[in-house]
Amino acid sequence: METEESKKVPLWRSLQTKYALTYIVVIAAVLILLNTYPVMASQQLVFQSKQTSLQSQATVIASALAGPDGLSRDGVIRVMEVLGDTGLSRVLVTDPAGVVLYDSSAASGAVGRYALLREVTSALRGNDAFRSDYAGGAFHSRAATPVVYRGMTAGAVYVDEYDAEQGKLLVGIQKTLRTISLVIALVALVLSAVFSRALARRIAELLRAVRIVRAGEYSHRVQMGGGDELSQLAGEFNALTGRLQTTEEVRRRFVSDASHELKTPLASIRLLTDSILQTDNIDPDTVREFVGDIGEEAERLQRITEKLLTLTRLDAAVTVATVAVDMEEVIRRVAHMLEPLAQAVEVSIALELEKGLTIRCTRDDLYQIVFNLVENGVKYNLPGGTVRVATRTEMDRAVLVVEDTGVGIPQEDITKVFDRFYRVDKARSRAAGGTGLGLSIVQDTARRYGGTVRAQRRETEGTRFLVTFPLYREGERG
Ligand code: ADP
């Protein structure tokens, strides 16, 4: 028990950690997505709009430049002056060879040199080119387009734009998302800690209860609110423990009752043997009488042990193959067997049996039930009394009635007579060779076949026992 207790689940394998980790992983995945996807999507959108606007600006410039005279430095400057402020960071115009004719950022000193720009090269080959990137919180985009006149490439226009405005907007969105994520992460962390701890605590409580009960304290119960599966589990556990407690109590009482019942005849036997052994010159008649008594006690022991064995067999509840048993036949056999005993105490047995009443049972077990009841009816009767055995059908059940005109059972004992070793009048039961186990056997056996047993006081005198069994139906399997 102690080794089990010390077998504490390490934190990394605990349910609490697993639960909390799952929670955190899911939340982290969601937050990563929240922080990347919208930013990437808006970047893409900005790229697209930049491409459209820059390219159309380049095209406007290119078409303004296109003319029959070709491109010259002065010509380009004139056209650019006419176009006015383009809002672009840089505008570059080259001749068909790629030599720069015009550069809006005069400081670069590029005029007269070859423009070594990818976009320009591409434009001179007759293609539009565009490139944009986002870095340091700003969009940097370039576009180039050829200047075409009558199908001839007369040069290229290159525009460049550095946009920090849109970049700032995006950085703002990024920041807001990061703040929201941080708050969500914190809340999730706290919630996961709280929930996983609560869960772990409740499971630990259940575990503790299981261990306490396992150690033998069957009266222990767990209190668990919440109305969830765990509280259901706790409820089931309490019910199970309750059953265990009852079974244990019954077992304990049974063992102590049984030992007590066995002790009495054994003590008598010892007393009788001691008397024989310790009395000098004991006469043969006394010895015969004592040995006879010893025999009687031994017989009693035998009866008790046989009945105890029957009860143990019933407790084990091994399923037996049932057959259709004709009640009339079995009852007549019992009556026949008990007739001599009844005659000896001047009791008559009367039978009122329904024909062809069959139940699902075994012959021996039905015999046992009827025998115990009729024997009690005879044993606890008065001279001149009767025992009436009747059967009838009631709905889908067979009813067996065994009633007598005997000494009766006091109202307060009427349910207790089915308890093991319970006897109303110990002396009378003992004198009649009773063990206090007969009615327990009747009840356990009947229940095994889906039957019920009840005892009633009769209005005038005596006792009535009512036993019901499910009827046997043709075609039913046993
Ligand atoms: P026992 O072996 O003592 O007869 P049972 O279990 O058959 O044990 O019965 C338990 C007790 O119930 C008996 O000791 C007796 O006091 C009482 N009892 C049973 N049947 C009858 C009856 N028909 N009339 C009066 N008392 C009875």
Side-chain angles (χ1 to χ4, degrees), residues 307 372-373 376-377 379-380 404 407-409 417 419 422-425 429 433-440 463 465:
K307 293 201 168 170
N372 283 348
L373 292 177
N376 278 353
K379 274 193 315 196
Y380 303 105
D404 60 59
V407 295
I409 299 171
V417 288
D419 292 350
Y422 192 85
R423 279 163 290 188
V424 179
D425 183 345
S429 161
T435 56
L437 293 171
L439 288 179
S440 303
T463 319
F465 283 91

Side-chain angles (χ1 to χ4, degrees), residues 283-304:
D283 71 285
D285 284 347
T286 317
V287 173
R288 194 177 299 277
E289 189 192 323
F290 279 12
V291 172
D293 288 348
I294 290 173
E296 257 172 43
E297 292 300 323
E299 228 171 78
R300 232 164 84 72
L301 276 175
Q302 195 181 0
R303 266 200 311 275
I304 295 173

